[in-house]
Amino acid sequence: MKNPFHVMIIPTLGCPGRCKYCWSSDETSPRMTLDTIDDIVTWLKPLEDQRVTFTFHGGEPLLAGAEFYRQAFKKITEGLPHLSPEFAIQTNLWLMDDELAEIFAEYQVPIGSSIDGPQELTNYQRGDEYFERCLAGYKIAVDHGLLVRFICTFTNSSVKQKEAIVNFFKEQGWVMKLHPALPSLKGENPNAWTLAPEEYGELLVFLLDEAIEHADDLEIMNINDLCRCVFTRAGSVCTYADCMGTTYAVGPDGEIYPCYRFIGMPEWVMGHVRNAPSIESLMESHAGKRMLAFKEFVDTACKDCAHITYCRGGCPYNAIAPTGGSLEGVDPHCTAYKRIFDEITTRLNEEMNAAPVSRVSRVKRQKKPSVTRLIQKIVEE
């Protein structure tokens, strides 16, 4: 389970990559200074004792350099011991070297990276030589004992190759985590690569079957999270949980946002770390009130949905991106979420209420792979 309080630190929005569907990079972005890390420490000191995860994101966070991380980890660890700080990073790994890997190993930093499938497909979506450069950094990281997991972004193009993508991850022995390509509040053509909700829903059901059938040699993190949501009746990961008041992002210049997806958009600034704002004042900002408005909207719009307690209307960013920032509905992937949550719930109920084995035929019992088996595996782990 992830820590309840999450701070995303964005050292820069700059990135040497040229992923075709990316909307978060900015070549003109400044670089975060260590003074801003000091301000982050001061800002968070009043928090009561709890566990906090600090995720370095971007752009490309490795552009900040080894000395930045050597000092940043030290300042946060020594300055906020009552928060038991844990670190993570999301990077394309192009700039990974032995020095950086040694620093990350010292602080046991898990690494998230991105591979969209086989080499040709990944390079088509993410640019020439992306695959090769990412794997070169991956080798350095694992040689230093670092845990690396890959996000696979499914677009309206790559979803047609879902079988080949799953087989690729299975052959590599990698844990798979997936994202649907999202629209952007920044780009002129926000839906060029977007995965339609209906396609996303069918993809999730396909991946549920794959995760169950290959439970011993394939782990799909999203499917585990979705099953856990249904089984525990509570959301605990990004998208399926109330993030208001417990998740923040700090941009390169120290401005505070509700999430890294809003970095660089002035209308979503909640405050600045140099002013050490309280959590209450952040939520009273214009941006904070807009986030709380989504929560209130969900309480009404989704009140009759069987999945409201662990879905919570999906992601607020996803909800406002298609409308240019106005709140007119819940996450448009609601169709997909209902599709997979209904599928898991139905199978689980049928399996738990099934007649004894001796009283039903093998054909009936084997209609669909058992979701109960996968949930048992998740619970045991």
Side-chain angles (χ1 to χ4, degrees):
M1 301 293 283
K2 294 179 173 58
N3 292 334
F5 203 92
H6 188 195
V7 177
M8 307 184 82
I9 299 176
I10 317 301
T12 180
L13 289 176
C15 181
R18 293 292 181 270
C19 299
K20 294 180 180 178
Y21 50 76
C22 177
W23 41 260
S24 63
S25 62
D26 180 0
E27 293 181 0
T28 66
S29 173
R31 303 272 180 93
M32 182 177 287
T33 68
L34 289 169
D35 287 341
T36 298
I37 297 296
D38 289 330
D39 289 338
I40 291 173
V41 171
T42 301
W43 166 48
L44 295 175
K45 273 187 178 178
L47 280 183
E48 296 180 359
D49 294 2
Q50 59 180 303
R51 302 188 72 85
V52 178
T53 296
F54 294 86
T55 299
F56 291 83
H57 211 293
E60 174 46 56
L62 293 189
L63 284 169
E67 188 59 24
F68 174 86
Y69 286 102
R70 183 179 288 109
Q71 294 298 324
F73 292 156
K74 185 175 186 291
K75 288 173 180 287
I76 293 172
T77 300
E78 295 181 355
L80 300 170
H82 64 297
L83 301 183
S84 303
E86 297 178 356
F87 302 106
I89 191 167
Q90 182 68 32
T91 166
N92 64 22
L93 289 170
W94 288 14
L95 302 176
M96 179 60 69
D97 58 23
D98 290 328
E99 185 179 12
L100 279 164
E102 288 170 5
I103 295 168
F104 293 149
E106 179 182 352
Y107 288 90
Q108 299 179 311
V109 181
I111 295 174
S113 192
S114 297
I115 289 284
D116 291 346
Q119 180 174 346
E120 183 177 356
L121 170 60
T122 296
N123 286 347
Y124 170 70
Q125 296 196 155
R126 290 185 167 269
D128 293 343
E129 298 185 357
Y130 177 96
F131 186 94
E132 298 89 330
R133 296 181 70 173
C134 180
L135 286 194
Y138 168 76
K139 184 179 186 305
I140 294 172
V142 297
D143 284 348
H144 285 79
L146 292 166
L147 173 65
V148 182
R149 288 179 169 173
F150 292 102
I151 293 174
C152 172
T153 299
F154 279 88
T155 66
N156 52 29
S157 173
S158 68
V159 72
K160 300 175 179 64
Q161 301 181 50
K162 59 182 182 291
E163 292 88 355
I165 293 171
V166 169
N167 286 337
F168 171 79
F169 273 84
K170 189 164 49 178
E171 290 166 0
Q172 298 299 321
W174 291 341
V175 172
M176 183 180 185
K177 183 178 181 181
L178 65 128
H179 281 173
L182 299 172
S184 170
L185 282 173
K186 300 177 182 178
E188 295 180 359
N189 187 11
N191 291 300
W193 294 83
T194 303
L195 185 63
E198 294 77 15
E199 285 186 302
Y200 186 32
E202 293 307 310
L203 171 65
L204 289 173
V205 173
F206 166 78
L207 293 174
L208 173 65
D209 287 339
E210 290 292 308
I212 294 170
E213 184 177 350
H214 303 285
D216 294 331
D217 56 0
L218 175 65
E219 179 183 348
I220 304 176
M221 291 177 64
N222 306 64
I223 297 302
N224 288 359
D225 292 334
L226 292 163
C227 288
R228 192 180 294 110
C229 282
V230 173
F231 187 69
T232 64
R233 316 302 293 175
S236 61
V237 295
C238 183
T239 301
Y240 311 113
D242 277 333
C243 57
M244 295 74 168
T246 59
T247 297
Y248 296 96
V250 181
D253 54 4
E255 291 180 327
I256 304 170
Y257 298 81
C259 174
Y260 83 97
R261 292 174 176 171
F262 297 104
I263 298 286
M265 292 185 278
E267 65 273 26
W268 288 96
V269 174
M270 307 176 81
H272 198 290
V273 291
R274 66 168 169 259
N275 300 321
S278 67
I279 301 303
E280 291 75 18
S281 68
L282 292 176
M283 299 313 297
E284 290 171 1
S285 67
H286 179 64
K289 289 178 179 177
R290 293 175 76 179
M291 294 296 289
L292 291 174
F294 176 79
K295 182 176 182 178
E296 294 170 359
F297 183 89
V298 168
D299 287 337
T300 300
C302 304
K303 62 183 176 62
D304 296 325
C305 179
H307 312 298
I308 185 174
T309 60
Y310 47 84
C311 177
R312 295 302 306 161
C315 173
Y317 176 89
N318 291 357
I320 67 171
T323 60
S326 63
L327 178 56
E328 299 177 12
V330 297
D331 186 334
H333 281 131
C334 172
T335 302
Y337 306 150
K338 282 185 176 179
R339 176 74 177 92
I340 188 61
F341 282 136
D342 283 346
E343 186 74 20
I344 294 170
T345 301
T346 299
R347 291 194 198 186
L348 188 59
N349 288 339
E350 288 177 351
E351 291 163 19
M352 294 183 71
N353 296 323
V357 172
S358 60
R359 294 174 57 187
V360 289
S361 70
R362 175 171 294 274
V363 172
K364 290 182 179 179
R365 285 189 288 110
Q366 296 295 328
K367 276 186 177 181
K368 290 183 178 180
S370 169
V371 72
T372 304
R373 177 193 171 201
L374 182 58
I375 291 177
Q376 288 175 334
K377 184 174 184 288
I378 295 168
V379 171
E380 289 171 358
E381 293 177 350

